[in-house]
Amino acid sequence: RLGRFEGAVACLPALGNSALGQKRRAAEEGLIRAAQGQNEAALSDLNGVIEQDGFGSDPLSDAIWSDELLLRTRAELRLDAGDVPGALDDYSRALAIWPVYPLALVGRARALCRAGSPGEALESLGVAIRSAPLLRASIAADPAFASLREDPAHRDNFRRLVSPGFRDRLISTLRPS
């Protein structure tokens, strides 16, 4: 048994140099740089991972990231850089993998607001809130949705979306003070 264990340990560095290991390392570096606010470097790292052949074909259930997370992160970086069409494309790709990914739906709504599509933004927010009701408060306060809060054509629909439902009110009354 010990011989097999030593053999397995000896193989670990080789796995780290595989194409999959390099992809994981580049993705992790991109996510760390994004968290540190190094947006240009993070975007470069994520572009390298996402645009390589075979992206989306490796099941990486043990990785700390997923393809949809990488796409959503790159979409956020693109949106921050003013690339609204690129951001929308990445959000669409992330949602093709996980159709009710709440953070991708909220990000997509931000991009749609910037693109001048408030109706679609409200639809995206509705799906996000149905899949993750706890997002209501952060969506209600998000400055990216000021146009939805203030525009008379969309104000009532936005308020309905972000106001707590019966279940939310019930849970808040049952919580100990």
Side-chain angles (χ1 to χ4, degrees):
R1 287 184 183 170
L2 184 59
R4 287 188 201 153
F5 176 76
E6 288 172 345
V9 170
C11 290
L12 288 177
L15 289 174
N17 292 327
S18 69
L20 185 56
Q22 291 172 1
K23 177 182 174 182
R24 285 182 179 172
R25 235 184 342 272
E28 289 168 2
E29 287 173 9
L31 293 173
I32 290 167
R33 287 179 173 157
Q36 294 172 335
Q38 300 173 15
N39 292 2
E40 287 182 29
L43 192 53
S44 175
D45 290 338
L46 294 176
N47 283 340
V49 173
I50 292 170
E51 299 308 327
Q52 68 180 270
D53 290 338
F55 176 77
S57 63
D58 297 318
L60 300 173
S61 59
D62 62 331
I64 62 165
W65 49 269
S66 59
D67 290 343
E68 60 270 21
L69 171 65
L70 297 179
L71 287 162
R72 180 187 59 84
T73 303
R74 185 172 78 166
E76 290 171 359
L77 294 168
R78 284 177 152 183
L79 192 58
D80 287 346
D83 180 7
V84 175
L88 284 169
D89 180 57
D90 282 344
Y91 285 126
S92 294
R93 289 176 66 188
L95 291 166
I97 297 168
W98 181 10
V100 291
Y101 184 9
L103 297 177
L105 287 160
V106 172
R108 181 176 181 270
R110 286 187 191 109
L112 288 166
C113 280
R114 282 203 197 171
S117 300
E120 288 181 70
L122 284 168
E123 288 175 29
S124 190
L125 289 174
V127 176
I129 289 170
R130 282 191 296 280
S131 66
L134 294 177
L135 287 175
R136 270 193 177 97
S138 63
I139 289 170
D142 193 324
F145 303 124
S147 62
L148 297 176
R149 278 192 298 277
E150 297 162 5
D151 183 353
H154 303 288
R155 181 178 26 219
D156 291 341
N157 288 333
F158 183 76
R159 284 183 186 156
R160 271 192 290 278
L161 274 177
V162 298
S163 61
F166 172 77
R167 181 175 168 231
D168 299 321
R169 289 191 299 274
L170 178 65
I171 290 170
S172 68
T173 60
L174 296 176
R175 283 192 191 123
S177 303

